[in-house]
């Protein structure tokens, strides 16, 4: 079965046709439980996210700040397995029809089996994989499997990336480019800042792939700001925080749905 890279491309293109950036939400699978994690990812889409990223919880998530690390730890202590991550992708996509990606570090994919992971993700209706720690020089095996199964391979670029490095990374990717808005780990910020705008400009100079900005966006105002110059706005920690801070799961799901609505208004210029 082929994955949904084309659905991902259509979602970003559709947002562009509406004169706005796509809204991309992130939550780790298995948080707060596998079943409630599926409900939370679905709630993000129902609330207004165009695309979602399902995180594969990791014991040493080098790109993630304390909020997502806490959620990962809850999922890992709950016994999350890769099959649960795949199930989350499958059920969220089946419930909404939206493009769903998996965001993961490389070691779990390598241990599970590259071909097997790509095949299972595609069979679940997945749209692709975001691989923040996989160097493009070592990505050929994954890229071949992903292409074979109709999956996007999304690489991360950062403000520290030189222009020639940006060209190399983006030439190896597909779907979109994940532009980290600043140096550091995920988390909410008061300002996303000038670095993100400049990184998008530099990235667009070397690729025709859409450029989506993540790290630091947490409210409608910031979503509107980033959406004014990027093809997509990625929000993760703010969604996780709504679940962590809620008194119970139902309140957390309502909070996730409400935040998605607020951010959706932001990318539409109604912050």
């Amino acid at each position: 079965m082929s994955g949904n890279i084309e659905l991902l491309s259509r979602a970003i293109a559709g947002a562009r046709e509406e004169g706005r950036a796509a809204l991309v939400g992130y939550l780790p699978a298995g948080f707060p439980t596998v079943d409630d994690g599926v409900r939370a990812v679905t709630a993000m889409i129902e609330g207004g996210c165009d695309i979602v990223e399902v995180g594969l919880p990791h014991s040493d998530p080098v790109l993630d700040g304390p909020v997502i690390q806490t959620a990962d730890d809850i999922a890992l202590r709950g016994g999350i397995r890769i099959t649960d991550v795949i199930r989350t992708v499958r059920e969220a996509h089946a419930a909404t029809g939206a493009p769903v990606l998996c965001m993961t570090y490389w070691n779990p994919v390598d241990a599970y089996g590259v071909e097997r992971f790509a095949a299972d993700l595609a069979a679940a209706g997945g749209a692709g994989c975001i691989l923040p720690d996989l160097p493009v020089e070592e990505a050929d095996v994954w890229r071949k499997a992903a292409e074979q199964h109709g999956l996007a391979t999304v690489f991360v670029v950062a403000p520290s990336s030189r222009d020639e490095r940006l060209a190399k990374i983006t030439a190896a990717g597909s779907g979109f480019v994940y532009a980290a808005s600043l140096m550091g780990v995920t988390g909410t910020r008061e300002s996303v800042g000038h670095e993100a705008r400049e990184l998008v400009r530099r990235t667009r100079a070397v690729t025709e792939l859409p450029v989506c900005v993540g790290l630091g966006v947490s409210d409608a105002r910031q979503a509107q700001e980033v959406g004014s110059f990027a093809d997509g706005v990625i929000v993760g920690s703010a969604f996780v925080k709504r679940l962590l801070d809620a008194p119970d799961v139902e309140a957390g799901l309502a909070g996730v749905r409400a935040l998605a609505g607020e951010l959706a208004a932001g990318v539409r210029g109604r912050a």
Side-chain angles (χ1 to χ4, degrees):
M1 181 179 288
S2 181
N4 273 315
I5 185 173
E6 291 302 326
L7 181 63
L8 173 65
S9 298
R10 287 198 302 271
I12 297 173
R16 184 183 295 142
E17 287 170 8
E18 294 177 17
R20 64 174 179 88
L23 177 60
V24 186
Y26 166 91
L27 279 174
F31 168 71
T33 65
V34 175
D35 288 344
D36 289 332
V38 172
R39 295 173 68 203
V41 173
T42 303
M44 283 198 298
I45 300 166
E46 292 171 346
C49 286
D50 302 290
I51 300 161
V52 289
E53 303 170 6
V54 171
L56 196 161
H58 196 276
S59 57
D60 185 24
V62 294
L63 185 70
D64 298 313
V67 171
I68 292 177
Q69 285 183 23
T70 299
D72 276 6
D73 185 57
I74 290 169
L76 290 167
R77 284 191 282 113
I80 186 77
R81 297 289 182 265
I82 290 180
T83 51
D84 298 316
V85 178
I86 300 293
R87 175 192 153 199
T88 302
V89 171
R90 177 186 299 107
E91 295 190 9
H93 172 65
T96 63
V100 182
L101 299 107
C102 178
M103 185 166 186
T104 178
Y105 296 96
W106 178 244
N107 278 351
V109 177
D110 194 33
Y112 189 80
V114 174
E115 170 64 27
R116 179 186 173 202
F117 189 90
D120 287 357
L121 183 59
C129 219
I130 303 166
L131 298 155
D133 66 339
L134 178 64
V136 293
E137 293 84 359
E138 300 171 21
D140 285 353
V141 172
W142 166 258
R143 289 173 58 207
K144 181 178 178 181
E147 185 174 355
Q148 195 169 30
H149 290 283
L151 298 170
T153 297
V154 179
F155 289 112
V156 179
V157 298
S160 60
S161 304
R162 296 178 180 271
D163 290 349
E164 56 270 27
R165 185 67 182 165
L166 287 177
K168 186 169 188 176
I169 292 171
T170 56
S174 57
F176 65 89
V177 182
Y178 187 125
S181 66
L182 41 78
M183 300 304 295
V185 297
T186 59
T188 60
R189 304 290 198 284
E190 290 297 317
S191 173
V192 180
H194 168 75
E195 281 188 325
R197 185 184 297 269
E198 177 63 12
L199 178 57
V200 170
R201 184 196 67 78
R202 291 173 53 226
T203 304
R204 282 182 172 156
V206 297
T207 185
E208 293 185 0
L209 287 174
V211 184
C212 300
V213 171
L215 273 68
V217 178
S218 61
D219 59 32
R221 178 187 60 79
Q222 291 173 332
Q224 181 175 356
E225 177 192 357
V226 173
S228 70
F229 60 80
D231 298 295
V233 179
I234 303 170
V235 181
S237 295
F239 281 116
V240 173
K241 201 165 187 306
R242 289 288 175 110
L243 286 169
L244 285 172
D245 291 349
D248 55 54
V249 171
E250 296 307 321
L253 294 174
V256 163
R257 189 177 282 104
L259 177 59
E262 294 162 16
L263 294 166
V267 297
R268 288 166 172 81
R270 301 196 299 268

